[in-house]
Short mmCIF file of all heavy atoms in Angstrom, two decimals:
data_model
loop_
_atom_site.label_atom_id
_atom_site.label_comp_id
_atom_site.label_asym_id
_atom_site.label_seq_id
_atom_site.Cartn_x
_atom_site.Cartn_y
_atom_site.Cartn_z
N VAL A 1 -0.71 -25.29 74.50
CA VAL A 1 -1.59 -26.32 73.96
C VAL A 1 -2.90 -25.65 73.58
O VAL A 1 -3.53 -25.00 74.41
CB VAL A 1 -1.83 -27.45 74.99
CG1 VAL A 1 -2.79 -28.49 74.43
CG2 VAL A 1 -0.51 -28.11 75.37
N PHE A 2 -3.28 -25.78 72.31
CA PHE A 2 -4.45 -25.09 71.76
C PHE A 2 -5.65 -26.04 71.72
O PHE A 2 -5.51 -27.25 71.90
CB PHE A 2 -4.17 -24.62 70.33
CG PHE A 2 -2.98 -23.71 70.20
CD1 PHE A 2 -1.70 -24.23 70.02
CD2 PHE A 2 -3.13 -22.33 70.24
CE1 PHE A 2 -0.60 -23.38 69.88
CE2 PHE A 2 -2.04 -21.48 70.11
CZ PHE A 2 -0.77 -22.02 69.93
N GLN A 3 -6.82 -25.50 71.38
CA GLN A 3 -7.98 -26.39 71.24
C GLN A 3 -7.85 -27.24 69.98
O GLN A 3 -8.29 -28.39 69.97
CB GLN A 3 -9.29 -25.60 71.28
CG GLN A 3 -9.47 -24.55 70.22
CD GLN A 3 -10.72 -23.72 70.52
OE1 GLN A 3 -10.84 -23.09 71.56
NE2 GLN A 3 -11.66 -23.72 69.61
N SER A 4 -7.27 -26.69 68.92
CA SER A 4 -6.95 -27.53 67.76
C SER A 4 -5.52 -27.99 67.95
O SER A 4 -4.67 -27.24 68.38
CB SER A 4 -7.09 -26.73 66.47
OG SER A 4 -6.30 -25.57 66.53
N PHE A 5 -5.24 -29.24 67.63
CA PHE A 5 -4.03 -29.89 68.14
C PHE A 5 -2.75 -29.38 67.48
O PHE A 5 -1.68 -29.45 68.04
CB PHE A 5 -4.17 -31.41 67.98
CG PHE A 5 -5.58 -31.89 68.22
CD1 PHE A 5 -6.30 -32.54 67.24
CD2 PHE A 5 -6.20 -31.63 69.44
CE1 PHE A 5 -7.61 -32.94 67.46
CE2 PHE A 5 -7.51 -32.02 69.67
CZ PHE A 5 -8.22 -32.68 68.68
N ASN A 6 -2.89 -28.85 66.24
CA ASN A 6 -1.74 -28.23 65.56
C ASN A 6 -0.53 -29.16 65.42
O ASN A 6 0.60 -28.71 65.47
CB ASN A 6 -1.29 -26.96 66.31
CG ASN A 6 -2.29 -25.82 66.17
OD1 ASN A 6 -3.35 -26.00 65.61
ND2 ASN A 6 -1.96 -24.66 66.69
N LEU A 7 -0.78 -30.46 65.27
CA LEU A 7 0.33 -31.38 65.02
C LEU A 7 0.71 -31.31 63.55
O LEU A 7 -0.11 -30.97 62.70
CB LEU A 7 -0.08 -32.81 65.39
CG LEU A 7 -0.44 -33.05 66.86
CD1 LEU A 7 -0.97 -34.46 67.05
CD2 LEU A 7 0.76 -32.80 67.77
N PHE A 8 1.97 -31.65 63.26
CA PHE A 8 2.40 -31.69 61.85
C PHE A 8 1.87 -32.98 61.23
O PHE A 8 2.27 -34.08 61.59
CB PHE A 8 3.93 -31.65 61.77
CG PHE A 8 4.51 -30.34 62.23
CD1 PHE A 8 5.22 -30.27 63.42
CD2 PHE A 8 4.31 -29.18 61.50
CE1 PHE A 8 5.74 -29.06 63.86
CE2 PHE A 8 4.84 -27.97 61.93
CZ PHE A 8 5.55 -27.91 63.12
N ALA A 9 0.96 -32.81 60.26
CA ALA A 9 0.22 -33.95 59.70
C ALA A 9 1.14 -34.93 58.95
O ALA A 9 0.84 -36.13 58.89
CB ALA A 9 -0.87 -33.45 58.75
N HIS A 10 2.25 -34.43 58.41
CA HIS A 10 3.12 -35.27 57.58
C HIS A 10 4.24 -35.93 58.39
O HIS A 10 5.12 -36.56 57.83
CB HIS A 10 3.72 -34.43 56.45
CG HIS A 10 4.55 -33.27 56.95
ND1 HIS A 10 3.98 -32.18 57.54
CD2 HIS A 10 5.89 -33.05 56.95
CE1 HIS A 10 4.94 -31.33 57.89
NE2 HIS A 10 6.11 -31.84 57.55
N LYS A 11 4.20 -35.75 59.71
CA LYS A 11 5.23 -36.38 60.56
C LYS A 11 4.55 -37.35 61.52
O LYS A 11 3.41 -37.13 61.95
CB LYS A 11 6.00 -35.31 61.34
CG LYS A 11 6.87 -34.43 60.44
CD LYS A 11 7.77 -33.52 61.25
CE LYS A 11 8.63 -32.66 60.35
NZ LYS A 11 9.56 -33.45 59.52
N THR A 12 5.28 -38.39 61.90
CA THR A 12 4.73 -39.34 62.86
C THR A 12 4.58 -38.68 64.23
O THR A 12 5.12 -37.60 64.49
CB THR A 12 5.63 -40.58 63.02
OG1 THR A 12 6.86 -40.16 63.64
CG2 THR A 12 5.89 -41.27 61.70
N VAL A 13 3.87 -39.36 65.11
CA VAL A 13 3.71 -38.89 66.49
C VAL A 13 5.08 -38.67 67.14
O VAL A 13 5.35 -37.63 67.73
CB VAL A 13 2.88 -39.92 67.29
CG1 VAL A 13 3.01 -39.70 68.79
CG2 VAL A 13 1.41 -39.86 66.85
N LEU A 14 5.97 -39.65 66.99
CA LEU A 14 7.31 -39.54 67.57
C LEU A 14 8.06 -38.34 67.00
O LEU A 14 8.68 -37.56 67.73
CB LEU A 14 8.10 -40.84 67.33
CG LEU A 14 9.53 -40.86 67.90
CD1 LEU A 14 9.51 -40.74 69.42
CD2 LEU A 14 10.24 -42.16 67.48
N GLN A 15 8.01 -38.17 65.67
CA GLN A 15 8.70 -37.05 65.03
C GLN A 15 8.15 -35.70 65.51
O GLN A 15 8.90 -34.74 65.69
CB GLN A 15 8.58 -37.16 63.51
CG GLN A 15 9.42 -38.28 62.92
CD GLN A 15 9.07 -38.56 61.46
OE1 GLN A 15 7.95 -38.27 61.01
NE2 GLN A 15 10.01 -39.16 60.73
N ASN A 16 6.84 -35.63 65.72
CA ASN A 16 6.22 -34.41 66.23
C ASN A 16 6.81 -34.00 67.58
O ASN A 16 7.07 -32.83 67.82
CB ASN A 16 4.70 -34.59 66.36
CG ASN A 16 3.92 -34.07 65.17
OD1 ASN A 16 3.67 -32.88 65.05
ND2 ASN A 16 3.56 -34.99 64.28
N VAL A 17 7.03 -35.00 68.44
CA VAL A 17 7.52 -34.70 69.80
C VAL A 17 9.03 -34.47 69.80
O VAL A 17 9.56 -33.80 70.67
CB VAL A 17 7.10 -35.82 70.78
CG1 VAL A 17 7.54 -35.51 72.21
CG2 VAL A 17 5.58 -36.01 70.76
N MET A 18 9.73 -34.99 68.79
CA MET A 18 11.18 -34.79 68.70
C MET A 18 11.57 -33.45 68.06
O MET A 18 12.62 -32.90 68.37
CB MET A 18 11.81 -35.92 67.87
CG MET A 18 11.87 -37.26 68.58
SD MET A 18 12.44 -38.59 67.47
CE MET A 18 14.13 -38.05 67.10
N LEU A 19 10.73 -32.93 67.20
CA LEU A 19 11.13 -31.84 66.29
C LEU A 19 11.66 -30.60 67.02
O LEU A 19 12.75 -30.12 66.72
CB LEU A 19 9.95 -31.45 65.39
CG LEU A 19 10.30 -30.50 64.25
CD1 LEU A 19 11.27 -31.15 63.27
CD2 LEU A 19 9.05 -30.04 63.52
N GLY A 20 10.89 -30.09 67.99
CA GLY A 20 11.34 -28.89 68.71
C GLY A 20 12.61 -29.13 69.49
O GLY A 20 13.47 -28.24 69.61
N GLN A 21 12.74 -30.35 70.02
CA GLN A 21 13.96 -30.68 70.77
C GLN A 21 15.19 -30.60 69.86
O GLN A 21 16.24 -30.11 70.27
CB GLN A 21 13.87 -32.10 71.33
CG GLN A 21 12.73 -32.35 72.29
CD GLN A 21 12.81 -33.76 72.82
OE1 GLN A 21 13.72 -34.10 73.58
NE2 GLN A 21 11.89 -34.61 72.42
N LEU A 22 15.04 -31.08 68.62
CA LEU A 22 16.17 -31.08 67.68
C LEU A 22 16.47 -29.67 67.19
O LEU A 22 17.62 -29.23 67.17
CB LEU A 22 15.85 -31.99 66.49
CG LEU A 22 15.68 -33.48 66.80
CD1 LEU A 22 15.14 -34.22 65.57
CD2 LEU A 22 17.00 -34.11 67.25
N LYS A 23 15.40 -28.94 66.80
CA LYS A 23 15.58 -27.65 66.13
C LYS A 23 15.89 -26.52 67.11
O LYS A 23 16.72 -25.66 66.84
CB LYS A 23 14.32 -27.29 65.34
CG LYS A 23 14.01 -28.24 64.20
CD LYS A 23 14.65 -27.75 62.92
CE LYS A 23 14.08 -28.48 61.70
NZ LYS A 23 15.07 -29.25 60.98
N VAL A 24 15.19 -26.51 68.25
CA VAL A 24 15.31 -25.37 69.18
C VAL A 24 16.25 -25.69 70.33
O VAL A 24 17.13 -24.90 70.67
CB VAL A 24 13.92 -24.95 69.71
CG1 VAL A 24 14.05 -23.76 70.65
CG2 VAL A 24 12.98 -24.62 68.55
#
């Protein structure tokens, strides 16, 4: 976890938290 949040701006909050689970 960085000081800048580094979230994917074009994805929803839910999609941000799902993405690594799906891909990795």
Side-chain angles (χ1 to χ4, degrees):
V1 178
F2 303 87
Q3 60 188 59
S4 55
F5 324 119
N6 290 5
L7 298 174
F8 293 110
H10 60 289
K11 292 188 179 297
T12 67
V13 164
L14 180 63
Q15 288 168 337
N16 264 279
V17 183
M18 287 173 64
L19 190 64
Q21 299 184 68
L22 296 171
K23 295 269 194 242
V24 181

